[in-house]
Amino acid sequence: MSLSLQAGGTSSRALPSAATRADALSANQATTRPITTGTSVLGIKYRGGVMLAADTLCSYGSLAKYKNARRLLGINSRTLVGASGEYSDLQSISDLLKANALEDRCTSDSLYEEDDNGECAKETWSYLRAVMYQRRNKMNPLWNDVVVAGFKQNEDGTTSDEPFLGVVDKIGTAYDDDILATGFGNYIALPLMREKYRPDMEEGEARALLEDCLRILFYRDCRALNRVQIAKVMKEGGVLVSDPYELDTYWDFEGFKQSKAGLGTDGGW
């Protein structure tokens, strides 16, 4: 069959250009491994609320590249989210949750902020569990462990007195507890938190415990930083996320100074 030619000598059935083929290929690609990543997120319940803590470092492989990456996000007035793992996927999750919160606001019976009809923390956690599992089934997971903090909801839609703290991983595995940690914090911070935790802890005690855990993670995790954020959610006070600040550190411990294995080194590993 003959091909008709248009002005300029190009065929009306010409093959796609190289740029078009590249776009088509890129549209089918998925993230196969995390590249720009954040490390541990810690969470704890205390009397009157829930608190999360994380540092602000994003590593590009082994390079400490971005030192002001904020990984604790307020979704609405009663839900707080933090995540470790791929930072671009966290941004995608944040956009998704904030779009849902805006839709809840626009379709609610009241437009006043004090009449908050947004999703409670447990609803957000359940929604993320479905999202992560669906993405995993598509072989295109979101490479994050997401911690959700806030309060449960009563049957009439009002905020419950019962705090909630849950985690969802990249394949949709989900559970809730009084204390949680992701990343390297699962191995180092969580045992320390279990040892010190009490259900009736005051806010100051909870913050001091999280700061101690973050400080130890900075000592032991080469992807951690001493520049951190603390965030909390309270029934009456809503969600508060601190500005980043630096933890004091101490490097004169004998274990840091003496040589290892008799190798005559400067005390490093």
Side-chain angles (χ1 to χ4, degrees), residues 44 53 70 74 104 117 131 136 147-148 152 175-177 185 227 262:
I44 188 170
R70 307 188 182 200
D104 289 340
N117 296 312
V131 169
R136 172 250 189 172
V147 179
V148 181
K152 296 182 180 179
Y175 61 92
D176 63 285
D177 204 346
R227 181 178 168 84

Side-chain angles (χ1 to χ4, degrees), residues 128-138 168-173:
L128 283 175
R129 177 177 57 183
V131 169
M132 301 299 249
Y133 185 68
Q134 188 266 351
R135 289 291 296 262
R136 172 250 189 172
N137 287 341
K138 296 292 185 181
V168 186
D169 70 8
K170 69 179 182 295
I171 62 173
T173 304

Side-chain angles (χ1 to χ4, degrees), residues 63-221:
L63 173 66
K65 190 174 180 78
Y66 304 108
K67 298 183 180 179
N68 194 33
R70 307 188 182 200
R71 298 184 287 122
L72 303 181
L73 311 169
I75 302 303
N76 54 41
S77 64
R78 53 184 177 179
T79 304
L80 180 66
V81 167
S84 57
E86 173 61 44
Y87 193 70
S88 63
D89 285 346
L90 170 59
Q91 291 174 317
S92 178
I93 291 171
S94 173
D95 291 343
L96 180 63
L97 293 178
K98 288 181 177 179
N100 290 346
L102 179 60
E103 182 179 357
D104 289 340
R105 173 69 64 194
C106 293
T107 57
S108 66
D109 295 332
S110 173
L111 295 178
Y112 295 103
E113 292 189 1
E114 58 267 21
D115 299 329
D116 189 0
N117 296 312
E119 292 181 342
C120 69
K122 190 170 184 179
E123 288 175 330
T124 302
W125 172 74
S126 297
Y127 172 73
L128 283 175
R129 177 177 57 183
V131 169
M132 301 299 249
Y133 185 68
Q134 188 266 351
R135 289 291 296 262
R136 172 250 189 172
N137 287 341
K138 296 292 185 181
M139 301 302 171
N140 184 21
L142 295 166
W143 292 81
N144 298 103
D145 290 344
V146 185
V147 179
V148 181
F151 283 84
K152 296 182 180 179
Q153 184 173 275
N154 296 319
E155 293 182 1
D156 60 358
T158 59
T159 303
S160 168
D161 292 329
E162 185 178 358
F164 178 83
L165 181 63
V167 65
V168 186
D169 70 8
K170 69 179 182 295
I171 62 173
T173 304
Y175 61 92
D176 63 285
D177 204 346
D178 293 334
I179 52 174
L180 289 175
T182 67
F184 211 54
N186 262 322
Y187 307 100
I188 291 183
L190 199 56
L192 301 174
M193 295 167 70
R194 285 173 178 156
E195 180 182 353
K196 302 291 186 181
Y197 176 73
R198 302 191 324 272
D200 61 344
M201 292 182 77
E202 298 294 338
E203 179 183 329
E205 294 177 299
R207 177 169 184 153
L209 176 56
L210 291 181
E211 287 183 343
D212 286 343
C213 291
L214 289 172
R215 186 177 292 108
I216 292 171
L217 285 169
F218 176 55
Y219 292 150
R220 297 299 183 185
D221 182 1

Side-chain angles (χ1 to χ4, degrees), residues 216-235:
I216 292 171
L217 285 169
F218 176 55
Y219 292 150
R220 297 299 183 185
D221 182 1
C222 62
R223 300 292 179 266
L225 189 67
N226 67 329
R227 181 178 168 84
V228 303
Q229 278 186 291
I230 300 287
K232 64 180 180 179
V233 54
M234 302 168 291
K235 180 179 178 181

Side-chain angles (χ1 to χ4, degrees), residues 20-39:
T20 303
R21 290 196 300 271
D23 290 342
L25 288 174
S26 64
N28 295 325
Q29 290 179 348
T31 302
T32 56
R33 62 189 179 93
I35 301 296
T36 305
T37 59
T39 184

